[in-house]
Amino acid sequence: MRHLKFSYSMVVLAAMLGVAPAQAGVSEAEAAKLKGELTPVGAEKAGNKDGTIPAWTGGLTKPTPGFKNGGRRPDPFADEKPIQQITAKNMDQFADRLTDGVKALLKKYPDSYRLDVYKTHRTAAAPQWLYDNTFQNATRASVVESGGGPIVKDAFGGYPFPIPKTGTEIMLNAQVRWRGEAWNTAAVNGYQVTADGRAILVSKVDLDNMAPYYFKDGSVETFDGRYWLVRVNTDAPAIRAGEAFVFHNAVDEGKSAGWAYLVGQRRVRKIPNACCDTPHPPSAGVLTFDEVEVFGGRLDRFDWKLVGKKEVYVPYNSNRVLVPTKDSDILGPHHLNPDHVRWELLRVWVVEAALKPGQRHTSPKARYYIDEDTWWPVLGERWDSNGQLWRVPFSIPVAMPDVPAQIGTVWGAYELLTGSYAALAVLNESKEQYKLVSPRFKESTFSSENLGGGGIR
């Protein structure tokens, strides 16, 4: 039950219009589940009936011995072997636990694409202060409409809706997913792999990131609405060397903004439409803004339907993807090398997006799979205007007990119709695979005024 009560007719009308009535969180009694049957961020604490998904007991918070911040990230489960392999030949046995996108990839590449399924480990964890803030958010946060669509109000430092009632609330949780307060990744490579198997470098960048939503010294009252700040400095390919970008991602996506330093013009320009299906400059336009890490950005173009929760095989705890020292080892000719992708059985929230009347988008229909333990979008599907399953966005989460968190690394999308795919945030040739930065960056790092100063030509 919610604090605010609405008549049955009002709820029906809201459902018909695709808009959830404004609500001020769950009751204190329901929020108490976060300290009992649910994890502190809202997942089911118990395992599943057959034991293939274990109970959550606190996650992985102890780093592998010898690991140092900023170094290469080890695989905490390096000695484990797959418990089963799913291929095009046996996929029908597992059909109810496979996404449509994965089924399409198995059928399209029957001789090479496969899922190596491992024992499930519920390693997801976060700091206690995030759990405390999530508990407070549960009863105070609400969804309100803005110029950028539905946004979170009165939430800070934790998940806004740990006990979600709508698809919109789930996507807003995913928007502010925990990945640390400030971090850097250096020598991050991005590729487009063509239909004939050629891996073309589209970007080599250094990334500075900061999450004001998770400032430990912040509060609901002092939060200015910007939940994620990003600075991108481009080193390669040669034609793009010296490009730089700054992005301010705001809870009210209508206030999000991006700036680019263009080497050919030697000036900083504001990116006119840094959202939605606009080509994403740091990926050289291979992906769109709202395909970053499966989905990101404003929600106003779609109606968001909560389908429910489902047990699905997804990439998870896949630290093995970071182990090879050459990018080419993980980039297969048609898809990521399955030898280096770990799959586990997880419970995920399933949310479908349907384009609203009068809106435009290259993908009028989409579906997303959100991990219940982390609110991380791990897989997605996008259909084109002809109703064909077109693109399969993906993110490969790895366990980072030093944060602590489960955080996506390699991400991109498979293009089913052409046979090409994009893979961004490839870290195999980087010696720095997600470095926590403390004290956090200065605000000026993400200033558009200082953007041109980082250009090398």
PDB file of all heavy atoms in Angstrom, residues 341-370:
ATOM      1  N   VAL A 341      33.457 -15.080 -21.770  1.00  0.00           N
ATOM      2  CA  VAL A 341      32.233 -14.495 -21.216  1.00  0.00           C
ATOM      3  C   VAL A 341      31.583 -15.517 -20.290  1.00  0.00           C
ATOM      4  O   VAL A 341      31.275 -16.632 -20.708  1.00  0.00           O
ATOM      5  CB  VAL A 341      31.242 -14.082 -22.329  1.00  0.00           C
ATOM      6  CG1 VAL A 341      29.990 -13.465 -21.705  1.00  0.00           C
ATOM      7  CG2 VAL A 341      31.900 -13.100 -23.290  1.00  0.00           C
ATOM      8  N   ARG A 342      31.408 -15.121 -19.061  1.00  0.00           N
ATOM      9  CA  ARG A 342      30.775 -15.992 -18.063  1.00  0.00           C
ATOM     10  C   ARG A 342      29.285 -15.661 -17.984  1.00  0.00           C
ATOM     11  O   ARG A 342      28.901 -14.490 -17.860  1.00  0.00           O
ATOM     12  CB  ARG A 342      31.439 -15.767 -16.705  1.00  0.00           C
ATOM     13  CG  ARG A 342      30.837 -16.593 -15.554  1.00  0.00           C
ATOM     14  CD  ARG A 342      31.418 -16.146 -14.215  1.00  0.00           C
ATOM     15  NE  ARG A 342      30.823 -16.894 -13.108  1.00  0.00           N
ATOM     16  CZ  ARG A 342      31.444 -17.851 -12.427  1.00  0.00           C
ATOM     17  NH1 ARG A 342      32.694 -18.168 -12.714  1.00  0.00           N
ATOM     18  NH2 ARG A 342      30.821 -18.474 -11.441  1.00  0.00           N
ATOM     19  N   TRP A 343      28.431 -16.680 -18.034  1.00  0.00           N
ATOM     20  CA  TRP A 343      26.991 -16.529 -17.913  1.00  0.00           C
ATOM     21  C   TRP A 343      26.531 -17.191 -16.620  1.00  0.00           C
ATOM     22  O   TRP A 343      27.056 -18.238 -16.229  1.00  0.00           O
ATOM     23  CB  TRP A 343      26.269 -17.164 -19.100  1.00  0.00           C
ATOM     24  CG  TRP A 343      26.561 -16.515 -20.412  1.00  0.00           C
ATOM     25  CD1 TRP A 343      27.704 -16.628 -21.152  1.00  0.00           C
ATOM     26  CD2 TRP A 343      25.699 -15.641 -21.153  1.00  0.00           C
ATOM     27  NE1 TRP A 343      27.613 -15.890 -22.310  1.00  0.00           N
ATOM     28  CE2 TRP A 343      26.386 -15.279 -22.331  1.00  0.00           C
ATOM     29  CE3 TRP A 343      24.416 -15.156 -20.947  1.00  0.00           C
ATOM     30  CZ2 TRP A 343      25.832 -14.427 -23.287  1.00  0.00           C
ATOM     31  CZ3 TRP A 343      23.856 -14.311 -21.907  1.00  0.00           C
ATOM     32  CH2 TRP A 343      24.555 -13.953 -23.059  1.00  0.00           C
ATOM     33  N   GLU A 344      25.557 -16.571 -15.971  1.00  0.00           N
ATOM     34  CA  GLU A 344      24.971 -17.126 -14.766  1.00  0.00           C
ATOM     35  C   GLU A 344      23.450 -16.981 -14.831  1.00  0.00           C
ATOM     36  O   GLU A 344      22.929 -16.135 -15.579  1.00  0.00           O
ATOM     37  CB  GLU A 344      25.500 -16.430 -13.511  1.00  0.00           C
ATOM     38  CG  GLU A 344      26.983 -16.643 -13.257  1.00  0.00           C
ATOM     39  CD  GLU A 344      27.464 -16.019 -11.957  1.00  0.00           C
ATOM     40  OE1 GLU A 344      26.642 -15.422 -11.224  1.00  0.00           O
ATOM     41  OE2 GLU A 344      28.662 -16.129 -11.670  1.00  0.00           O
ATOM     42  N   LEU A 345      22.760 -17.800 -14.046  1.00  0.00           N
ATOM     43  CA  LEU A 345      21.302 -17.697 -13.956  1.00  0.00           C
ATOM     44  C   LEU A 345      20.950 -16.670 -12.893  1.00  0.00           C
ATOM     45  O   LEU A 345      21.315 -16.818 -11.723  1.00  0.00           O
ATOM     46  CB  LEU A 345      20.693 -19.047 -13.602  1.00  0.00           C
ATOM     47  CG  LEU A 345      19.161 -19.087 -13.525  1.00  0.00           C
ATOM     48  CD1 LEU A 345      18.543 -18.839 -14.899  1.00  0.00           C
ATOM     49  CD2 LEU A 345      18.687 -20.430 -12.963  1.00  0.00           C
ATOM     50  N   LEU A 346      20.247 -15.612 -13.298  1.00  0.00           N
ATOM     51  CA  LEU A 346      19.870 -14.543 -12.382  1.00  0.00           C
ATOM     52  C   LEU A 346      18.375 -14.273 -12.471  1.00  0.00           C
ATOM     53  O   LEU A 346      17.732 -14.610 -13.479  1.00  0.00           O
ATOM     54  CB  LEU A 346      20.604 -13.239 -12.728  1.00  0.00           C
ATOM     55  CG  LEU A 346      21.917 -12.936 -12.003  1.00  0.00           C
ATOM     56  CD1 LEU A 346      22.974 -13.962 -12.362  1.00  0.00           C
ATOM     57  CD2 LEU A 346      22.395 -11.541 -12.366  1.00  0.00           C
ATOM     58  N   ARG A 347      17.849 -13.640 -11.436  1.00  0.00           N
ATOM     59  CA  ARG A 347      16.501 -13.064 -11.530  1.00  0.00           C
ATOM     60  C   ARG A 347      16.652 -11.634 -12.038  1.00  0.00           C
ATOM     61  O   ARG A 347      17.423 -10.848 -11.485  1.00  0.00           O
ATOM     62  CB  ARG A 347      15.806 -13.088 -10.167  1.00  0.00           C
ATOM     63  CG  ARG A 347      15.321 -14.465  -9.748  1.00  0.00           C
ATOM     64  CD  ARG A 347      14.533 -14.411  -8.465  1.00  0.00           C
ATOM     65  NE  ARG A 347      15.338 -14.004  -7.340  1.00  0.00           N
ATOM     66  CZ  ARG A 347      15.568 -14.752  -6.250  1.00  0.00           C
ATOM     67  NH1 ARG A 347      15.049 -15.972  -6.158  1.00  0.00           N
ATOM     68  NH2 ARG A 347      16.294 -14.318  -5.261  1.00  0.00           N
ATOM     69  N   VAL A 348      15.905 -11.325 -13.071  1.00  0.00           N
ATOM     70  CA  VAL A 348      15.968  -9.990 -13.652  1.00  0.00           C
ATOM     71  C   VAL A 348      14.563  -9.413 -13.764  1.00  0.00           C
ATOM     72  O   VAL A 348      13.579 -10.139 -13.911  1.00  0.00           O
ATOM     73  CB  VAL A 348      16.633  -9.994 -15.049  1.00  0.00           C
ATOM     74  CG1 VAL A 348      18.068 -10.478 -14.960  1.00  0.00           C
ATOM     75  CG2 VAL A 348      15.840 -10.836 -16.042  1.00  0.00           C
ATOM     76  N   TRP A 349      14.478  -8.095 -13.668  1.00  0.00           N
ATOM     77  CA  TRP A 349      13.242  -7.392 -13.985  1.00  0.00           C
ATOM     78  C   TRP A 349      13.179  -7.237 -15.499  1.00  0.00           C
ATOM     79  O   TRP A 349      14.166  -6.863 -16.145  1.00  0.00           O
ATOM     80  CB  TRP A 349      13.232  -6.017 -13.332  1.00  0.00           C
ATOM     81  CG  TRP A 349      13.140  -6.019 -11.841  1.00  0.00           C
ATOM     82  CD1 TRP A 349      14.175  -5.862 -10.951  1.00  0.00           C
ATOM     83  CD2 TRP A 349      11.954  -6.147 -11.046  1.00  0.00           C
ATOM     84  NE1 TRP A 349      13.705  -5.898  -9.662  1.00  0.00           N
ATOM     85  CE2 TRP A 349      12.340  -6.079  -9.692  1.00  0.00           C
ATOM     86  CE3 TRP A 349      10.605  -6.332 -11.360  1.00  0.00           C
ATOM     87  CZ2 TRP A 349      11.432  -6.174  -8.647  1.00  0.00           C
ATOM     88  CZ3 TRP A 349       9.690  -6.432 -10.324  1.00  0.00           C
ATOM     89  CH2 TRP A 349      10.106  -6.351  -8.983  1.00  0.00           C
ATOM     90  N   VAL A 350      12.018  -7.498 -16.081  1.00  0.00           N
ATOM     91  CA  VAL A 350      11.818  -7.354 -17.520  1.00  0.00           C
ATOM     92  C   VAL A 350      10.906  -6.153 -17.756  1.00  0.00           C
ATOM     93  O   VAL A 350       9.790  -6.097 -17.240  1.00  0.00           O
ATOM     94  CB  VAL A 350      11.198  -8.616 -18.137  1.00  0.00           C
ATOM     95  CG1 VAL A 350      11.085  -8.468 -19.653  1.00  0.00           C
ATOM     96  CG2 VAL A 350      12.031  -9.852 -17.783  1.00  0.00           C
ATOM     97  N   VAL A 351      11.404  -5.188 -18.525  1.00  0.00           N
ATOM     98  CA  VAL A 351      10.665  -3.957 -18.801  1.00  0.00           C
ATOM     99  C   VAL A 351      10.616  -3.747 -20.317  1.00  0.00           C
ATOM    100  O   VAL A 351      11.641  -3.847 -20.997  1.00  0.00           O
ATOM    101  CB  VAL A 351      11.325  -2.735 -18.131  1.00  0.00           C
ATOM    102  CG1 VAL A 351      10.544  -1.460 -18.463  1.00  0.00           C
ATOM    103  CG2 VAL A 351      11.404  -2.928 -16.617  1.00  0.00           C
ATOM    104  N   GLU A 352       9.427  -3.468 -20.838  1.00  0.00           N
ATOM    105  CA  GLU A 352       9.269  -3.201 -22.262  1.00  0.00           C
ATOM    106  C   GLU A 352       8.984  -1.724 -22.502  1.00  0.00           C
ATOM    107  O   GLU A 352       8.269  -1.088 -21.721  1.00  0.00           O
ATOM    108  CB  GLU A 352       8.140  -4.051 -22.847  1.00  0.00           C
ATOM    109  CG  GLU A 352       8.476  -5.532 -22.901  1.00  0.00           C
ATOM    110  CD  GLU A 352       7.402  -6.346 -23.600  1.00  0.00           C
ATOM    111  OE1 GLU A 352       6.310  -5.796 -23.868  1.00  0.00           O
ATOM    112  OE2 GLU A 352       7.653  -7.534 -23.869  1.00  0.00           O
ATOM    113  N   ALA A 353       9.550  -1.208 -23.582  1.00  0.00           N
ATOM    114  CA  ALA A 353       9.355   0.187 -23.969  1.00  0.00           C
ATOM    115  C   ALA A 353       8.591   0.238 -25.283  1.00  0.00           C
ATOM    116  O   ALA A 353       8.979  -0.419 -26.255  1.00  0.00           O
ATOM    117  CB  ALA A 353      10.705   0.889 -24.124  1.00  0.00           C
ATOM    118  N   ALA A 354       7.514   1.012 -25.322  1.00  0.00           N
ATOM    119  CA  ALA A 354       6.718   1.192 -26.534  1.00  0.00           C
ATOM    120  C   ALA A 354       6.659   2.681 -26.856  1.00  0.00           C
ATOM    121  O   ALA A 354       6.327   3.495 -25.986  1.00  0.00           O
ATOM    122  CB  ALA A 354       5.315   0.635 -26.358  1.00  0.00           C
ATOM    123  N   LEU A 355       6.992   3.035 -28.077  1.00  0.00           N
ATOM    124  CA  LEU A 355       7.034   4.441 -28.472  1.00  0.00           C
ATOM    125  C   LEU A 355       5.672   5.095 -28.309  1.00  0.00           C
ATOM    126  O   LEU A 355       4.643   4.556 -28.727  1.00  0.00           O
ATOM    127  CB  LEU A 355       7.495   4.546 -29.923  1.00  0.00           C
ATOM    128  CG  LEU A 355       7.876   5.941 -30.426  1.00  0.00           C
ATOM    129  CD1 LEU A 355       9.111   6.455 -29.697  1.00  0.00           C
ATOM    130  CD2 LEU A 355       8.140   5.896 -31.938  1.00  0.00           C
ATOM    131  N   LYS A 356       5.656   6.268 -27.708  1.00  0.00           N
ATOM    132  CA  LYS A 356       4.403   6.999 -27.512  1.00  0.00           C
ATOM    133  C   LYS A 356       3.907   7.576 -28.834  1.00  0.00           C
ATOM    134  O   LYS A 356       4.711   7.896 -29.727  1.00  0.00           O
ATOM    135  CB  LYS A 356       4.625   8.143 -26.511  1.00  0.00           C
ATOM    136  CG  LYS A 356       4.869   7.706 -25.083  1.00  0.00           C
ATOM    137  CD  LYS A 356       5.035   8.916 -24.188  1.00  0.00           C
ATOM    138  CE  LYS A 356       5.215   8.517 -22.730  1.00  0.00           C
ATOM    139  NZ  LYS A 356       5.379   9.698 -21.843  1.00  0.00           N
ATOM    140  N   PRO A 357       2.616   7.733 -28.981  1.00  0.00           N
ATOM    141  CA  PRO A 357       2.068   8.376 -30.186  1.00  0.00           C
ATOM    142  C   PRO A 357       2.670   9.773 -30.366  1.00  0.00           C
ATOM    143  O   PRO A 357       2.798  10.536 -29.409  1.00  0.00           O
ATOM    144  CB  PRO A 357       0.566   8.450 -29.900  1.00  0.00           C
ATOM    145  CG  PRO A 357       0.309   7.350 -28.916  1.00  0.00           C
ATOM    146  CD  PRO A 357       1.547   7.286 -28.060  1.00  0.00           C
ATOM    147  N   GLY A 358       3.050  10.088 -31.582  1.00  0.00           N
ATOM    148  CA  GLY A 358       3.595  11.400 -31.886  1.00  0.00           C
ATOM    149  C   GLY A 358       5.084  11.524 -31.675  1.00  0.00           C
ATOM    150  O   GLY A 358       5.685  12.543 -32.060  1.00  0.00           O
ATOM    151  N   GLN A 359       5.729  10.508 -31.069  1.00  0.00           N
ATOM    152  CA  GLN A 359       7.173  10.530 -30.863  1.00  0.00           C
ATOM    153  C   GLN A 359       7.869   9.781 -31.996  1.00  0.00           C
ATOM    154  O   GLN A 359       7.251   8.991 -32.720  1.00  0.00           O
ATOM    155  CB  GLN A 359       7.531   9.891 -29.518  1.00  0.00           C
ATOM    156  CG  GLN A 359       7.010  10.626 -28.308  1.00  0.00           C
ATOM    157  CD  GLN A 359       7.766  11.910 -28.043  1.00  0.00           C
ATOM    158  OE1 GLN A 359       8.848  12.147 -28.585  1.00  0.00           O
ATOM    159  NE2 GLN A 359       7.192  12.768 -27.213  1.00  0.00           N
ATOM    160  N   ARG A 360       9.180   9.999 -32.125  1.00  0.00           N
ATOM    161  CA  ARG A 360       9.957   9.294 -33.137  1.00  0.00           C
ATOM    162  C   ARG A 360      11.181   8.661 -32.479  1.00  0.00           C
ATOM    163  O   ARG A 360      11.742   9.186 -31.523  1.00  0.00           O
ATOM    164  CB  ARG A 360      10.404  10.233 -34.264  1.00  0.00           C
ATOM    165  CG  ARG A 360      11.234  11.417 -33.807  1.00  0.00           C
ATOM    166  CD  ARG A 360      12.033  12.038 -34.935  1.00  0.00           C
ATOM    167  NE  ARG A 360      12.998  11.108 -35.466  1.00  0.00           N
ATOM    168  CZ  ARG A 360      14.196  10.899 -34.918  1.00  0.00           C
ATOM    169  NH1 ARG A 360      14.552  11.528 -33.805  1.00  0.00           N
ATOM    170  NH2 ARG A 360      15.038  10.041 -35.455  1.00  0.00           N
ATOM    171  N   HIS A 361      11.595   7.521 -33.022  1.00  0.00           N
ATOM    172  CA  HIS A 361      12.794   6.829 -32.564  1.00  0.00           C
ATOM    173  C   HIS A 361      13.110   5.732 -33.573  1.00  0.00           C
ATOM    174  O   HIS A 361      12.204   5.163 -34.184  1.00  0.00           O
ATOM    175  CB  HIS A 361      12.564   6.213 -31.174  1.00  0.00           C
ATOM    176  CG  HIS A 361      13.836   5.846 -30.462  1.00  0.00           C
ATOM    177  ND1 HIS A 361      14.558   4.713 -30.757  1.00  0.00           N
ATOM    178  CD2 HIS A 361      14.511   6.466 -29.454  1.00  0.00           C
ATOM    179  CE1 HIS A 361      15.613   4.652 -29.972  1.00  0.00           C
ATOM    180  NE2 HIS A 361      15.620   5.690 -29.174  1.00  0.00           N
ATOM    181  N   THR A 362      14.386   5.447 -33.754  1.00  0.00           N
ATOM    182  CA  THR A 362      14.765   4.401 -34.701  1.00  0.00           C
ATOM    183  C   THR A 362      14.303   3.026 -34.236  1.00  0.00           C
ATOM    184  O   THR A 362      14.155   2.103 -35.048  1.00  0.00           O
ATOM    185  CB  THR A 362      16.292   4.381 -34.900  1.00  0.00           C
ATOM    186  OG1 THR A 362      16.936   4.257 -33.628  1.00  0.00           O
ATOM    187  CG2 THR A 362      16.762   5.646 -35.606  1.00  0.00           C
ATOM    188  N   SER A 363      14.084   2.864 -32.927  1.00  0.00           N
ATOM    189  CA  SER A 363      13.594   1.597 -32.379  1.00  0.00           C
ATOM    190  C   SER A 363      12.290   1.858 -31.636  1.00  0.00           C
ATOM    191  O   SER A 363      12.301   2.212 -30.449  1.00  0.00           O
ATOM    192  CB  SER A 363      14.617   0.980 -31.420  1.00  0.00           C
ATOM    193  OG  SER A 363      15.808   0.659 -32.089  1.00  0.00           O
ATOM    194  N   PRO A 364      11.157   1.705 -32.291  1.00  0.00           N
ATOM    195  CA  PRO A 364       9.877   2.019 -31.644  1.00  0.00           C
ATOM    196  C   PRO A 364       9.474   1.024 -30.560  1.00  0.00           C
ATOM    197  O   PRO A 364       8.542   1.281 -29.803  1.00  0.00           O
ATOM    198  CB  PRO A 364       8.876   1.998 -32.800  1.00  0.00           C
ATOM    199  CG  PRO A 364       9.516   1.158 -33.847  1.00  0.00           C
ATOM    200  CD  PRO A 364      10.991   1.356 -33.716  1.00  0.00           C
ATOM    201  N   LYS A 365      10.177  -0.101 -30.480  1.00  0.00           N
ATOM    202  CA  LYS A 365       9.885  -1.089 -29.440  1.00  0.00           C
ATOM    203  C   LYS A 365      11.201  -1.628 -28.901  1.00  0.00           C
ATOM    204  O   LYS A 365      12.154  -1.856 -29.655  1.00  0.00           O
ATOM    205  CB  LYS A 365       9.046  -2.239 -29.998  1.00  0.00           C
ATOM    206  CG  LYS A 365       8.795  -3.365 -28.999  1.00  0.00           C
ATOM    207  CD  LYS A 365       8.092  -4.552 -29.659  1.00  0.00           C
ATOM    208  CE  LYS A 365       7.979  -5.734 -28.688  1.00  0.00           C
ATOM    209  NZ  LYS A 365       7.349  -6.922 -29.334  1.00  0.00           N
ATOM    210  N   ALA A 366      11.264  -1.824 -27.581  1.00  0.00           N
ATOM    211  CA  ALA A 366      12.481  -2.360 -26.972  1.00  0.00           C
ATOM    212  C   ALA A 366      12.116  -3.136 -25.716  1.00  0.00           C
ATOM    213  O   ALA A 366      11.021  -2.986 -25.162  1.00  0.00           O
ATOM    214  CB  ALA A 366      13.463  -1.237 -26.628  1.00  0.00           C
ATOM    215  N   ARG A 367      13.046  -3.968 -25.282  1.00  0.00           N
ATOM    216  CA  ARG A 367      12.874  -4.715 -24.040  1.00  0.00           C
ATOM    217  C   ARG A 367      14.216  -4.729 -23.309  1.00  0.00           C
ATOM    218  O   ARG A 367      15.267  -4.868 -23.942  1.00  0.00           O
ATOM    219  CB  ARG A 367      12.408  -6.141 -24.326  1.00  0.00           C
ATOM    220  CG  ARG A 367      12.102  -6.970 -23.075  1.00  0.00           C
ATOM    221  CD  ARG A 367      11.703  -8.394 -23.426  1.00  0.00           C
ATOM    222  NE  ARG A 367      10.496  -8.439 -24.249  1.00  0.00           N
ATOM    223  CZ  ARG A 367      10.382  -9.152 -25.366  1.00  0.00           C
ATOM    224  NH1 ARG A 367      11.399  -9.868 -25.807  1.00  0.00           N
ATOM    225  NH2 ARG A 367       9.245  -9.134 -26.045  1.00  0.00           N
ATOM    226  N   TYR A 368      14.162  -4.588 -21.972  1.00  0.00           N
ATOM    227  CA  TYR A 368      15.382  -4.520 -21.184  1.00  0.00           C
ATOM    228  C   TYR A 368      15.306  -5.480 -20.001  1.00  0.00           C
ATOM    229  O   TYR A 368      14.235  -5.696 -19.425  1.00  0.00           O
ATOM    230  CB  TYR A 368      15.620  -3.089 -20.694  1.00  0.00           C
ATOM    231  CG  TYR A 368      15.757  -2.114 -21.835  1.00  0.00           C
ATOM    232  CD1 TYR A 368      14.678  -1.317 -22.231  1.00  0.00           C
ATOM    233  CD2 TYR A 368      16.946  -2.017 -22.553  1.00  0.00           C
ATOM    234  CE1 TYR A 368      14.787  -0.450 -23.310  1.00  0.00           C
ATOM    235  CE2 TYR A 368      17.058  -1.145 -23.629  1.00  0.00           C
ATOM    236  CZ  TYR A 368      15.989  -0.373 -23.999  1.00  0.00           C
ATOM    237  OH  TYR A 368      16.094   0.478 -25.070  1.00  0.00           O
ATOM    238  N   TYR A 369      16.474  -6.018 -19.646  1.00  0.00           N
ATOM    239  CA  TYR A 369      16.590  -6.983 -18.554  1.00  0.00           C
ATOM    240  C   TYR A 369      17.503  -6.391 -17.486  1.00  0.00           C
ATOM    241  O   TYR A 369      18.700  -6.167 -17.731  1.00  0.00           O
ATOM    242  CB  TYR A 369      17.148  -8.299 -19.091  1.00  0.00           C
ATOM    243  CG  TYR A 369      16.317  -8.877 -20.213  1.00  0.00           C
ATOM    244  CD1 TYR A 369      16.552  -8.521 -21.539  1.00  0.00           C
ATOM    245  CD2 TYR A 369      15.269  -9.758 -19.952  1.00  0.00           C
ATOM    246  CE1 TYR A 369      15.783  -9.024 -22.573  1.00  0.00           C
ATOM    247  CE2 TYR A 369      14.480 -10.274 -20.983  1.00  0.00           C
ATOM    248  CZ  TYR A 369      14.743  -9.901 -22.296  1.00  0.00           C
ATOM    249  OH  TYR A 369      13.973 -10.395 -23.320  1.00  0.00           O
ATOM    250  N   ILE A 370      16.936  -6.129 -16.302  1.00  0.00           N
ATOM    251  CA  ILE A 370      17.622  -5.409 -15.240  1.00  0.00           C
ATOM    252  C   ILE A 370      17.901  -6.360 -14.079  1.00  0.00           C
ATOM    253  O   ILE A 370      16.974  -6.917 -13.484  1.00  0.00           O
ATOM    254  CB  ILE A 370      16.763  -4.228 -14.732  1.00  0.00           C
ATOM    255  CG1 ILE A 370      16.131  -3.451 -15.901  1.00  0.00           C
ATOM    256  CG2 ILE A 370      17.588  -3.320 -13.832  1.00  0.00           C
ATOM    257  CD1 ILE A 370      17.092  -2.783 -16.822  1.00  0.00           C
TER     258      ILE A 370
END
